[in-house]
Each structure stands twice: as C-alpha cells, then as structure tokens.
Amino acid sequence: MLPLRMLGLLMLMFSLCDADSCCPPDTNPLTLDVPKVIKKYGESVFINCSSTEEYHNGMYWRVGNKDYAMELDYSYISWSVSLSAWNVTAECRIKLDDGQECSKELEISLYQVPEVDVYPLKYAAAVEGRLYELQCDIAGAAPVQNLVVRWYKDNRTIKKDTFTNTTKTPVFESSTLTVNISRGEHGAQFRYAPDFENNTEYVSVHEGHDVTLNCEAEGKPPPVSQWTLDGGMLIKKQNLIITRVNTSETYNCSASNYLGNITKQIHVHVIKMIPPTTSADQTTNEPSTPTGCPLVLTPAELVVRFGDPASVNCSTSAAGVLGMGWEGRYGATTSKGPASTWAVEEVDDWSTKPACFINLKENGSYHECSVWLAITLYKTPDTVSVSAMAPGPMIEGSEYRLKCHVANVTPLEKLKVTWYRGNETVHTQMFDNTSKTPVSAWSNLTVTAKRQYNGALFSCKAELHLGPNGPERVPTVTSAPYMAAVHYAPEFKEGSYIKVVDLGVNVTLNCSAEGNPPPEIYWKYTSAVNVRETTRGRQKSISVTGATSTNAHVYVCVATNIVGRVTRSVTLMMTGKTSALQFTTILWFLILLVVIFISILMIIVYKCYKKNRQYTFVPNKAKDCSEIPMTPQSNGDQV
C-alpha cells in the first residue's frame, strides 16, 4: 500500500495534468488546417480541426475559458473565432476512448495599424540650412516587436528603428531624427518661403455660374494671399469668389511672407455648352460630335479605374481653327489643331470632368464651343463581408437577416450584389444611388432557418457592371463565407415499433436522435435485474439478458434539447415453445376448475333430491306448514 504522502503526490500530479501534458505529442490525433493565423484586430477566422481517431467521446472548441458544443459523430469540427480580444486563445480538444484528452492550440498573432505623427522636438524658429530635430510618434502599434520605423529623405532611407517590447497589446513608441532642414523634407515643420503646388491652373465654369478660386500656399510663417486682375488689386484673401461668370479671364494670385513671395495664374474659361448628338445606333466606342460644334471625341465615353492613367483624343475637321485644347483641373493643354489629346498619368480626382474646346473664325467673326468628356470613374470595394444582424445561433423555423457590407465602392448604380448559399444563387440586388464618390452599401438577405442550413456557407459577391467600355473582366470582390449555426429540435432516425422475441434470448434496443444542440437521450421503462443501459456516442441502448415474461412491456425513448422534446416507443412481446406450454398449463388448470365446479354442483343437487323424494308438496291451499298434507308414496301410486 502506498504511503499517504506518496498518494497525495500522485493526486497532485493528476490534478496538474492538462490535455496537452496527458497526451503525448506523438499520439495527439488532432490537426488544424491553419495552425497559425496573422489577422487584424477585430476580424474573425474560420478554422477546421480534424482527428485521425474515428472513435472518440467528443470533440469541441475552447475559446478563452468557454467550451462550445461537442461533436460526437464525426472526426472533424469547425469554428469561427472572433479576434476581438488581444489575449484571445483558441484550442481544439478531443476526449479519447481510453480516457485521455488531447488538444491543439491555434497560434494567433494580432496586429493593428498605428497612427503616425511627425513634428519638431523643439518649437523654435528654424531657417533652411540649419539642423533640426524631428520626432515621429507611433500610437497604437501592435505587436510592437514587429514594428519598423524608417525615416526617408526623398526616396532614400536614412534611418531605421526597431523595438524589443514583446507585449501583444497596442503601445506608444517614438523615434527621433536630426536633419539638415530643406523644403524637400516631407512633413517637416520649419520656416521657409511660400510655395505653390501648381504655378498654373485651369478652371472651367458654365456661363452664368459661380466659381471659387483658391490661393492656398505653403510657408512658415503662413503667407498672405492677394488677388489681381489686369494689374488691378481685387482682394487680400486666400479664396476669391466670382459670381455669375460670363467671360473668360486670367487671375493672378500672389502669396508672400518676409522670406519671399510667389505668384501663380488661374485661367478661368467660360463654357458655352452645346449638347452632344444622341443617336439610337451610336455606340459608346464611336467618336462623339456635338451638334453645331465640330469636335470629335475618341472614345466618346471613358471608363477608368480611380488612380489609373487615361487619355482621350479630340479632333476637328473644321477650317479657320484659331486654337483648341482641353480644360480641366488636370491634363489641360492647347494646340493649333486639328487635334488635341487629354492625357493624365493618374486620374485621382473624383470631380474631374475635362472639356475639349475650340476657337473658330468663320465669316470674319469669332466664336468658341466646347464638349464635355463623359467619364466614369470606378473603384472596387475595399472589403466585402457577411455578418448576422442578430447575435447567437438561428432557431429552426424562425426568420433571420444576414448583412452583406460592401465598403467604399463607386459608382453604386453599377453595383450588383449576388448572395450564395454554397454554390446556389439565392438573391441578387441592384442599387440606384448616383453618388460618384466611394460609399458603402448594404444588402440584406432574409433566411428562414432550416436544419439543413446548419453549417451552410453564405457568401455575397459584389460586381461592377460598367458596360461595353468597361474592363473585359467584370471587377468582382467576394466575401469570406459565413457559416450558419441552426439549432433544431431532436429527430429520431426511426419511429415506434413492436418487437417480438422468444423467451430466454438476449435483446438490444437502440435509440439515437439528431438535433442541435446535440440532444440528451434517456429511456423510460420498468427496471429489472436483467436489464441494463449502455451509451456509445449519441446512442443509448437497453440490453435485456435472457428475456422473460416480466420484460414484456413498452420501452419509451426520450430525446430533448433547448429547442424541443420528442419520444418514441418499442413494445417488447414474447413468443416461442415455452409460451405455448405455459398457455396449455393455464388452459388445463381452467378446465380442472370447471370440472370441480360442476362436480360440486351435482353433489348438491343429488343430496337435495334424496332428502325430498318421499313427500309431495300441495301448496295450493296451504296457509302455513301445518296445513300441508304429507302422505307417503309407494310404488308411484297416489293415495
């Protein structure tokens, strides 16, 4: 017998034995399809866990300190893990038939994109050419051990900092740099003369409309702006508002501080629009010519992705061309004709709307006309995702709504969202929003929960149908699948029935049911010494050893979960030679009872007859017994 101290030590060892330490690595049957994930904080990840052990006592997921539904019938289990906690943990666990419990932990690395701010370490006056100390603050970086801060001058790296902090949660870090100040240092805060991003601008405006001109300049100290027209001073403000414009003019804007000044020109062109011709047989790939304005645009309509290069040719066959060109914020150009090309390396302005113009001299008079370029800018969604609008699992028979979120897409009126359940199309939706800038869109899908939807994958696909001038392949972004969880009441694999067996044989009655959550199953019956219950997985069985007549009754199986409760019954009946012998015995016993009864009855009748055979009763006139004459009879003669 073990000493008490040794026994206590063994008990302590068992209490400290978790799933991993009790399960040797070489016998661990669990495998994760993705053993390690690197995800942005707040996202979710879908993981499959499989086991090489076909028979077990249950597989389940443990996320944090919470255990989820156990799977008993299959050797794999899937789960969607929400990554909304920095210390989130997830592990797949299995209970083996030999009593061991094994687990496989998912390695999770969460990151967060930080906010970055660069500023001078000392807010003192600084002039170009002097040393200056800058500080870069990085707020909310995680994991910081993977953070690298690089300082650049132009396109050249001049310093790199790394960090050794091993915390998983967001932290605040800083990096400093001493630079020789020049206006070329991107983001530097220093004193320098004013500078314009562009020294010449072209602005187009419809005749009679208002326009606002901007004289924004960079400089330290902030420069003072001044507007002039034909040498005359108009106003000392950064913005110049011109109402009801009717003539084309060139405005001069100057910005100055004590370190210097700079001037730029803004050419305001008044457009007298002539609408383009429309024809039923004209396709958008053909040149466009406005009625009365001898200009042809090729192509007539431009479909381009935001940020991509673009070009359109404008040509004329008219005589007397004094000049022609393009007007707009980008790509403005002029030529003497007979053609001019609008070309930009990057279309990065959602409001861009270039116009081709022409100045003509006909019959001694001058006139000008213009035509807009029909341009469609598109942007594919940043993300497309599916989520449930109500938390928790679905209940069979109830209606639920799933939401498809399409983030930052344009043009919305060209967007088509298609819903899928597995590979089956279940819903499509178009949109009528005419916004030309990126917006987010939502599409809802109403689902009536069915048990066959449990584990079904719902997804949505966002497509931009941009017409014949769009890209050959329709721009498409598809969401990650959303796995539905449907709870439903138990259902038996077979119904109630009658089972007839011979006395003395062994009988087994099985009961199993499908349900979600997995149902609890139990039997209701009259207990007996030769009856016992066994459990394997989700099946509960009753075993009757050497069946007797006392076992012949109704056995009821009950399956229940949080959704509902169902029952089924098995009626056990006995038959065979032993039963026939018992029936014959009972029959002979009944016959014997009948014979005995008849015999007793005959004896009673005989005794009564023997006692009364010498008297004749004449009750006609008798009043009492004394008046009854009695005469003996002999030989059957009356006296």
Side-chain angles (χ1 to χ4, degrees):
M1 181 175 179
L2 288 174
L4 184 59
R5 182 178 300 176
M6 182 64 70
L7 182 60
L9 180 59
L10 288 176
M11 293 177 64
L12 177 62
M13 291 175 62
F14 280 117
S15 66
L16 296 177
C17 179
D18 58 16
D20 286 331
S21 61
C22 292
C23 179
D26 55 342
T27 62
N28 193 333
L30 296 177
T31 302
L32 302 180
D33 62 343
V34 181
K36 182 177 182 180
V37 295
I38 301 175
K39 284 284 186 178
K40 187 176 181 180
Y41 174 79
E43 295 183 347
S44 61
V45 61
F46 188 81
I47 302 295
N48 293 313
C49 176
S50 59
S51 170
T52 56
E53 289 288 342
E54 183 178 358
Y55 299 104
H56 55 80
N57 290 325
M59 293 178 64
Y60 63 100
W61 277 94
R62 174 176 293 173
V63 180
N65 295 323
K66 184 177 181 180
D67 293 341
Y68 289 87
M70 185 173 292
E71 175 60 54
L72 295 169
D73 290 344
Y74 303 99
S75 58
Y76 67 91
I77 186 171
S78 303
W79 200 253
S80 179
V81 181
S82 175
L83 306 177
S84 56
W86 288 104
N87 59 346
V88 63
T89 59
E91 61 178 349
C92 176
R93 303 176 71 91
I94 186 172
K95 295 182 178 180
L96 303 177
D97 286 344
D98 59 4
Q100 283 188 337
E101 184 169 352
C102 296
S103 71
K104 183 70 70 173
E105 185 172 4
L106 174 66
E107 294 184 44
I108 301 174
S109 294
L110 299 183
Y111 71 90
Q112 177 173 280
V113 179
E115 295 182 359
V116 180
D117 188 23
V118 179
Y119 57 92
L121 200 58
K122 294 182 180 180
Y123 285 90
V127 181
E128 290 179 275
R130 296 184 181 178
L131 293 177
Y132 211 58
E133 193 171 24
L134 303 177
Q135 179 163 312
C136 176
D137 286 344
I138 305 97
V144 70
Q145 62 265 34
N146 297 109
L147 176 66
V148 177
V149 177
R150 290 185 174 88
W151 290 87
Y152 293 88
K153 182 177 182 180
D154 297 324
N155 294 322
R156 181 171 58 88
T157 302
I158 58 176
K159 185 181 180 183
K160 182 177 78 172
D161 283 338
T162 58
F163 305 86
T164 59
N165 193 332
T166 58
T167 182
K168 293 184 177 181
T169 56
V171 298
F172 181 94
E173 292 287 356
S174 297
S175 175
T176 58
L177 175 71
T178 301
V179 295
N180 190 350
I181 287 298
S182 68
R183 67 184 63 202
E185 316 296 65
H186 176 67
Q189 302 291 323
F190 52 86
R191 192 181 302 274
Y192 56 90
D195 194 8
F196 289 116
E197 183 178 354
N198 297 300
N199 291 328
T200 303
E201 289 186 17
Y202 294 87
V203 176
S204 298
V205 60
H206 287 289
E207 183 179 21
H209 287 201
D210 299 342
V211 65
T212 299
L213 307 181
N214 185 277
C215 188
E216 183 179 0
E218 294 182 359
K220 294 291 183 178
V224 177
S225 300
Q226 177 176 294
W227 291 92
T228 59
L229 176 63
D230 296 332
M233 200 271 287
L234 296 177
I235 193 174
K236 288 186 176 182
K237 285 188 176 181
Q238 183 172 306
N239 295 330
L240 174 65
I241 301 175
I242 309 172
T243 59
R244 298 181 181 179
V245 181
N246 53 29
T247 59
S248 300
E249 301 283 359
T250 298
Y251 295 84
N252 295 307
C253 166
S254 63
S256 61
N257 61 18
Y258 73 88
L259 293 174
N261 65 80
I262 194 170
T263 301
K264 77 172 179 179
Q265 290 185 333
I266 300 179
H267 303 278
V268 177
H269 175 68
V270 177
I271 300 174
K272 296 176 172 52
M273 285 300 301
I274 302 176
T277 57
T278 57
S279 175
D281 58 354
Q282 181 183 16
T283 66
T284 55
N285 288 322
E286 296 177 351
S288 171
T289 304
T291 303
C293 190
L295 293 175
V296 177
L297 301 183
T298 308
E301 178 184 359
L302 181 65
V303 178
V304 60
R305 183 173 62 181
F306 185 80
D308 281 1
S311 64
V312 177
N313 185 62
C314 179
S315 60
T316 183
S317 57
V321 177
L322 299 177
M324 63 182 299
W326 286 89
E327 297 174 317
R329 184 172 180 180
Y330 300 104
T333 184
T334 58
S335 72
K336 296 181 179 180
S340 179
T341 299
W342 178 77
V344 291
E345 294 182 356
E346 188 177 280
V347 183
D348 56 2
D349 181 8
W350 293 107
S351 62
T352 187
K353 196 172 184 180
C356 182
F357 68 90
I358 186 171
N359 293 311
L360 297 170
K361 182 179 181 180
E362 293 180 337
N363 301 322
S365 63
Y366 299 91
H367 70 274
E368 177 182 325
C369 66
S370 304
V371 60
W372 291 110
L373 170 65
I375 182 171
T376 299
L377 289 180
Y378 73 90
K379 177 186 176 299
T380 56
D382 292 340
T383 59
V384 178
S385 59
V386 176
S387 60
M389 299 186 70
M394 303 178 183
I395 304 298
E396 184 180 28
S398 300
E399 284 194 349
Y400 296 86
R401 285 201 300 170
L402 301 180
K403 177 179 67 177
C404 177
H405 180 217
V406 184
N408 295 329
V409 62
T410 194
L412 203 60
E413 59 186 334
K414 304 292 184 181
L415 177 65
K416 176 183 178 182
V417 172
T418 304
W419 281 90
Y420 295 92
R421 185 177 64 247
N423 295 321
E424 178 186 358
T425 301
V426 293
H427 179 62
T428 58
Q429 182 176 348
M430 302 294 293
F431 300 83
D432 56 7
N433 189 316
T434 58
S435 173
K436 302 302 179 185
T437 56
V439 294
S440 293
W442 289 266
S443 176
N444 296 330
L445 175 68
T446 301
V447 178
T448 300
K450 300 179 181 179
R451 63 182 58 204
Q452 56 265 37
Y453 292 171
N454 186 47
L457 299 179
F458 288 84
S459 61
C460 64
K461 178 175 66 176
E463 299 175 305
L464 286 174
H465 292 267
L466 299 167
N469 285 331
E472 292 184 7
R473 299 183 62 181
V474 175
T476 303
V477 179
T478 303
S479 72
Y482 171 85
M483 186 174 69
V486 180
H487 282 183
Y488 49 90
E491 183 179 44
F492 288 116
K493 297 178 180 179
E494 55 183 341
S496 300
Y497 64 93
I498 298 173
K499 188 176 185 67
V500 181
V501 299
D502 292 336
L503 287 171
V505 301
N506 296 333
V507 183
T508 300
L509 306 179
N510 297 321
C511 184
S512 61
E514 293 293 335
N516 193 27
E520 177 189 357
I521 299 174
Y522 60 92
W523 284 93
K524 297 172 65 178
Y525 60 95
T526 302
S527 60
V529 294
N530 63 334
V531 178
R532 66 184 182 91
E533 288 189 40
T534 57
T535 301
R536 181 171 180 81
R538 293 181 184 170
Q539 177 174 284
K540 284 220 171 184
S541 303
I542 288 180
S543 298
V544 181
T545 304
T548 66
S549 58
T550 58
N551 301 126
H553 55 77
V554 177
Y555 295 78
V556 178
C557 179
V558 181
T560 180
N561 64 9
I562 60 175
V563 183
R565 179 179 183 272
V566 292
T567 63
R568 58 179 281 263
S569 64
V570 179
T571 303
L572 190 61
M573 299 181 67
M574 304 298 166
T575 186
K577 295 181 179 180
T578 306
S579 295
L581 179 61
Q582 286 185 339
F583 177 77
T584 302
T585 303
I586 294 172
L587 180 61
W588 279 108
F589 179 73
L590 292 175
I591 293 174
L592 179 61
L593 288 178
V594 171
V595 170
I596 293 173
F597 176 77
I598 293 174
S599 299
I600 293 173
L601 183 62
M602 290 179 66
I603 292 171
I604 294 172
V605 171
Y606 174 74
K607 286 184 176 183
C608 289
Y609 171 76
K610 186 176 180 181
K611 182 178 180 181
N612 299 321
R613 65 184 178 87
Q614 295 179 352
Y615 300 93
T616 299
F617 293 87
V618 185
N620 295 342
K621 298 179 180 181
K623 299 296 183 178
D624 53 35
C625 294
S626 62
E627 296 179 357
I628 298 175
M630 298 183 192
T631 57
Q633 294 180 355
S634 64
N635 300 323
D637 295 329
Q638 294 183 354
V639 178

